[in-house]
Amino acid sequence: MSTLTVDPPAGAVPAAGGKTTHTLANAGAAKVVFKVKSSNNTEYRLQPVFGFVDPGGQAPVEVTRLAGPPKEDKLVIEYGDAPADAATPQDAFKGVAAPQKLTVPIKAE
């Protein structure tokens, strides 16, 4: 079973636009594949959307907020053990039958 944590566990950005970076850390012994989703695709851009995190490794996720009204949104990071033969994170994520989830509240003020 994979173990993934996110730091910081919540974020805040200016409603006028800005960026926040969160670090995914894999404390497990298996390579993890992840997919990041947003509750607000109109005002948020995520980089990367899919990715791998090696055992004991880290991966940054950059969240860019475009100008919009102040509100609370969230990121959902779905993840699971990466198949050994997967060439790309997108292909690997398709092989995750029941992904685990982390929720990261994002507040635009």
Side-chain angles (χ1 to χ4, degrees):
M1 173 129 320
S2 46
T3 305
L4 199 66
T5 58
V6 61
D7 184 48
V13 290
K19 290 184 181 185
T20 179
T21 300
H22 299 266
T23 302
L24 303 180
N26 179 0
K31 187 175 189 176
V32 170
V33 61
F34 67 88
K35 177 181 181 179
V36 185
K37 298 198 244 180
S38 171
S39 63
N40 180 349
N41 289 325
T42 304
E43 289 148 1
Y44 286 93
R45 300 293 179 263
L46 308 169
Q47 186 63 34
V49 173
F50 291 92
F52 290 117
V53 187
D54 290 322
Q58 297 182 337
V61 174
E62 187 177 88
V63 180
T64 302
R65 171 74 153 65
L66 306 177
K71 65 183 288 219
E72 292 184 22
D73 292 296
K74 66 182 175 182
L75 303 179
V76 176
I77 301 161
E78 296 182 332
Y79 66 96
D81 291 342
D85 60 349
T88 68
Q90 290 91 330
D91 289 341
F93 193 79
K94 291 175 191 171
V96 177
Q100 298 176 63
K101 295 181 182 179
L102 287 170
T103 301
V104 180
I106 304 283
K107 187 173 189 175
E109 313 184 88

